[in-house]
Amino acid sequence: MVEEDRITLAPTEIYGRSDEEQNEPRIWRRKTEEPPGKCLIYTLTIIVIIFAVCLILSSIFLRISKPEIETTSVSTRDLRFGGNSTNPYFNATLVSDITIRNSNFGAFEFEDGSLRVVYADHGVVGETTIEGRRVEAHKTVKITGVVVEIGSFRLLDTKGLDSDLRLGFLELRSVAEIRGRIKVLGRRRWKVSVMSCTMRLNLTGRFIQHLLCE
């Protein structure tokens, strides 16, 4: 009986030792490898970010816009006008200063352009050439002394001119057009820039007023 009691008590001692082993401090080891799924997600995220950055940069650097052309000032000289109701006339020389602004990341090279002066709705009274040149990226070029001779002898119909001469004002419109190409990162695009400016020729004061460009 005594031996049987000892035999039955033996497992109790074994369980006690097992509990002591469970209470020992555990050692945590850092995982050296990430699951394949996480690596794929990281890779796709990086690809999407790179694609978005490239898309933003291309929209900034590869976007090509029309250069802006504007008449900043117009002066007059050799102004003559007169006549009667059946034969009114005027002649003058207009001297314009023009700016061309290139806001692109590539240079703008344009051919010879044209500058026309229109009297009211009657037609063209003068025309000249704007010499072609190169405008560097993000630069503005000023062209001074663009001379155009205007005269009523170009008009087929002078109806209403006599009354305008007596009032002392002529409503004029200046239209300029240049055509050139822009090269950005190997890409070449042709662009046409058009300018339209309205102005009033003061016959009494012999100067241009109310110059407004679009």
Side-chain angles (χ1 to χ4, degrees), residues 12 47 58 65 70 88 98 101 112-113 117 122 125 143 155 167 186:
T12 306
I47 292 174
S58 63
S65 58
E70 181 181 5
I98 297 173
R101 179 175 177 270
D112 288 350
V117 179
H122 295 282
V125 293
I143 305 175
L155 298 174
L167 289 174

Side-chain angles (χ1 to χ4, degrees), residues 96-141:
S96 303
D97 291 341
I98 297 173
T99 60
I100 301 174
R101 179 175 177 270
N102 178 21
S103 60
N104 298 287
F105 283 91
F108 174 57
E109 296 181 359
F110 65 94
E111 304 168 344
D112 288 350
S114 64
L115 175 64
R116 302 187 306 275
V117 179
V118 181
Y119 161 59
D121 295 326
H122 295 282
V124 177
V125 293
E127 187 172 6
T128 191
T129 299
I130 302 174
E131 294 184 0
R133 62 187 63 199
R134 178 186 176 94
V135 184
E136 298 295 337
H138 289 283
K139 296 292 184 180
T140 300
V141 170

